[in-house]
Amino acid sequence: LGSAVSQKRIMNQTKHSLLLLSLAALTPWGLAQSDKPLNVLFIASDDLTQSIACYGDPIAITPNLDRLSDMGVRFDNAYCQIPLCNPTRASLLTGLRPDTLKVYDLGRHFRDEVPDVVTLPQLFRNNGYKSMRVGKLYHYGVPVQIGTNGLDDPESWDQVINPKGRDTEEEHLIINLEPHRPISGALSWLAADGTDEEQTDGMIATEAIELLRENKDRPFFLGVGFFRPHTPYVAPKKYWDLYPMDKIKMPYAHENDRDDIPKSAFAHNNPVPNYGLPVEEVLRAKQAYYANVSFVDAQVGRLLDAIEDLELLDNTIIVFWSDHGYHLGEHQGVWQKRCLFEESASAPMMIFAPGRKGNGQASQQIVEFVDLYPTVASLCGLTPPKTVEGKSIVPLLDRPSKSWKGTAFTQVLRPGDGIPVMGASIRTDRWRYTEWNEGEQGIELYDHSNDPGEFDNLASKPEFAGTISDLRKKLRANVSGKVPDSPFNPARL
């Protein structure tokens, strides 16, 4: 499989390189003389951290995401607003921060607070585009809501398709390391029989390709949302073969890494290292996670092939994102999400826009998920609502190394030990500063110029008091660190 993947990648890279060269010979903006409107293919993955080869992961086998990175601009420092599925998706698709939406848990709909907001796909729909969705864009409970509309937003779409594959029929076969937890939140997996196309995500790719074919001659916004690698990690067996167990390791951590980290920094559903499980067991879960990453990568490759085969590459923007990052054992055994460390606050983001000078490069600038709304709208000549809280990063698509002075704000609400806890974090080029209940439950300061792994919490050292004061002011001016008065369900955090 690895050899076949490599050969196909070489062929696809050659093909898209020739296409990009032809685009460069067009108008300065990369548009054909017919000046066709730019379509949008908006691809989402669920719970995908930067475990991708082009992001520097040493074992990930992701030729198609690497291919997309080679085509467009890869953002190495893109940050979500909340590392939890529902609120981060609501924020990204409305361009509004969680404190504006008042959405912090898995159950509340953003229109409860802002009923008249115009979402990103709705903006395209209002401007004559056909707006379509296949799979998970807004929040779904996984796997229980697969095949339904989940917590969707009907005003966003002209057409929706909700595939449901054999993965939902074989849940009784899933291995669950913690049987007392539902498979949606536990380290659980299945190396499945059958083909990609029988799995929900394979069906999503198939349906999306058909929609591309049916709508190639009209402007479209197509959201394609894959459910993996969200738990349970389910994919065909062949993807496990890519990751023999001797390649799966626990990440490096200092021997006493947790000693200077506040208790509140660790998610309530992962209070002890590795859930108290043997390391060899959680490493099997990590193998399953990587197998699912490669499975999703293959589906992205099918979409990229279709865009090229249908001759849509010269007038289609392709965006790839994950709703947040994900922990795979960092800090002596942190898993999944709901944290404000770098691994769960950052996530993959790639943008291919035809004819942009920065295509094929990576940007190290700090950007946020709320920036996607104004960016995609601007690329297509649409005016986003004035209420949108992100800023367009189109300049970085032409000059990825441009001085940006970006700042990212990420927060998370937790049930706590009977008293809810709000964590709020600011990330600058150099620093990450985090406080829990405005510092009452602890603070953290990490110097990314010397400590990218966030091992050394500098918050207690007097020489950094001025830095903390400056970062605290910026943080509190943009994000509330207080537990909200608005309704939220502690059981859904």
Side-chain angles (χ1 to χ4, degrees), residues 175-178 185-189 231 233 275 277 282 285 335-336:
I175 297 169
N176 186 350
L177 293 184
E178 301 173 279
L187 297 182
S188 56
W189 69 88
T231 52
Y233 314 131
Y275 299 101
L277 296 166
V282 295
W335 292 86
Q336 302 196 61

Side-chain angles (χ1 to χ4, degrees), residues 46-48 80 82-86 88-89 106 136 139-140 142 184-187 227 229-231 233 265-270 275 323-328 330 334-341 343-345 412 414 436 493:
D46 201 352
D47 283 13
L48 175 62
C80 70
I82 282 193
L84 188 61
C85 296
N86 179 43
T88 192
R89 290 168 181 269
L106 294 174
K136 181 177 179 178
H139 180 59
Y140 282 68
V142 179
S184 60
L187 297 182
F227 287 93
H230 194 290
T231 52
Y233 314 131
F266 300 104
H268 57 284
N269 65 331
N270 185 194
Y275 299 101
D323 48 2
H324 45 69
Y326 202 78
H327 280 283
L328 296 169
E330 294 83 11
V334 176
W335 292 86
Q336 302 196 61
K337 48 207 176 189
R338 293 180 171 92
C339 289
L340 294 178
F341 297 117
E343 291 84 3
S344 49
V412 66
R414 304 237 193 84
W436 300 93
L493 294 173

